[in-house]
Amino acid sequence: MDQRARQLPAEERRALTVSTVLELAAERDPQEITTAAIAERMQLTQGALFRHFPSKEHIWSAAVEWLGGELLNRTQKAAAGAPTSIEAMEAMFLAHIKLVSQFPGIPRLLFGELQRADDTLAKLAARSIIKRYRERLLTLIKQGKHSGEIDVLVDAPAAATMYVGMVQGLVAQALIAGNVKGLRGEAPGAFELFRRAIVCRTGANRTGAKA
């Protein structure tokens, strides 16, 4: 990190701190990342770092909040151009996977934080992000049932859980294999299985759906 980090305005310094954390998380165990390591990478003192974040926990929370904003913005933009609900969900899925593949530090940081027993600020932020993400999925599933492309008997909450679980499963396997950047090659096939599970095959929807 160059000397310009020392002269950046507060908001830009905070953003640069988040970027540095994600960069470090891609290189090492996130639990081993100290504020001293962050400050060293940014060529700052710890005192300068703590002028923007009162604790390491607040830095981690800012990183997760950045992820949430980026994820929701990218997936919303991807879905906006899709002509059908299922295609919108596919566009969201691929945009989500692309984001993770571009920032390998994201899943390492997030999975590490979610394993903690206490409700940290980062964990609470992640919970809020997933809630909003699921709400978007449930809306698209409802719209797809109404248009006749999704079987009305599909359990919408279960479908949303399956969708999120596919992302998490692909990411977990990529971490185990040490190849997060290879995620994008696996994503289309995984979504195709999901599509087959929810699509309406009769051409005319049936009654008795679970909302």
Side-chain angles (χ1 to χ4, degrees), residues 16-171:
L16 186 57
T17 303
V18 167
S19 175
T20 302
V21 168
L22 294 178
E23 183 180 293
L24 289 169
E27 301 170 3
R28 65 184 77 170
D29 182 347
Q31 298 304 314
E32 297 176 357
I33 300 173
T34 63
T35 53
I38 298 169
E40 180 181 4
R41 178 65 64 92
M42 296 177 67
Q43 298 183 8
L44 298 173
T45 65
Q46 288 191 71
L49 189 62
F50 284 129
R51 282 199 289 273
H52 300 281
F53 298 94
S55 68
K56 178 180 173 180
E57 182 178 358
H58 284 81
I59 297 175
W60 259 231
S61 176
V64 174
E65 288 172 1
W66 176 86
L67 161 63
E70 195 72 6
L71 174 63
L72 294 173
N73 287 338
R74 287 195 186 197
T75 53
Q76 182 177 25
K77 183 177 180 179
T84 69
S85 294
I86 291 181
E87 288 175 292
M89 284 191 284
E90 182 176 20
M92 286 177 59
F93 188 82
L94 297 178
H96 190 159
I97 292 295
K98 181 179 179 181
L99 173 63
V100 176
S101 68
Q102 287 179 330
F103 297 93
I106 288 175
R108 293 170 60 85
L109 178 68
L110 192 56
F111 282 164
E113 197 65 22
L114 293 178
Q115 290 180 59
R116 295 180 58 175
D118 52 328
D119 277 339
T120 64
L121 291 174
K123 196 171 182 179
L124 292 171
R127 191 176 297 161
S128 175
I129 294 163
I130 292 297
K131 181 176 183 292
R132 293 172 63 188
Y133 195 80
R134 279 179 58 88
E135 287 170 352
R136 288 187 179 179
L137 291 173
L138 290 171
T139 296
L140 286 171
I141 293 169
K142 182 178 179 180
Q143 291 173 351
K145 288 183 179 185
H146 182 73
S147 68
E149 58 178 315
I150 295 177
D151 194 321
V152 295
L153 294 180
V154 165
D155 184 321
T161 297
M162 180 187 294
Y163 181 108
V164 174
M166 285 195 306
V167 176
Q168 294 170 337
L170 286 172
V171 172

